[in-house]
Amino acid sequence: MTGHSDSASAPPPRTVRCPACGGPSLYAPENRFRPFCSERCKRRDLGDWASERFRLQAEPDQGIDSLPPDTRLQ
Ligand SMILES: [Zn+2]
């Protein structure tokens, strides 16, 4: 077993900057979350605009119909 010859023949992994966390992200086919470094970062980035969109849509519907204004304030 010559481990060092294996690593020497393999090309160095190409990394890019993760748009979500700014950390190094492996830019290779095995990283299916690229350019993000991980699934968490990819979902976090998608979740940011998704939650903002949901919040804008949900705000007029929430509270007003189910609770009177006085109860919301207290
Ligand atoms: Zn990241």
Side-chain angles (χ1 to χ4, degrees), residues 14-27 35-37:
R14 188 182 168 193
T15 56
V16 296
R17 197 175 148 196
C18 173
C21 71
S25 163
L26 181 66
Y27 200 79
F36 301 96
C37 68

Side-chain angles (χ1 to χ4, degrees), residues 9-62:
S9 62
R14 188 182 168 193
T15 56
V16 296
R17 197 175 148 196
C18 173
C21 71
S25 163
L26 181 66
Y27 200 79
E30 64 236 51
N31 178 12
R32 58 196 181 97
F33 310 113
R34 68 188 187 276
F36 301 96
C37 68
S38 63
E39 183 180 12
R40 191 188 306 170
C41 281
K42 185 175 186 176
R43 294 180 67 159
R44 191 180 85 178
D45 192 71
L46 291 175
D48 276 349
W49 66 261
S51 63
E52 202 157 333
R53 213 175 134 200
F54 272 119
R55 206 172 57 205
L56 289 173
Q57 289 182 341
E59 217 165 330
D61 285 337
Q62 273 186 349

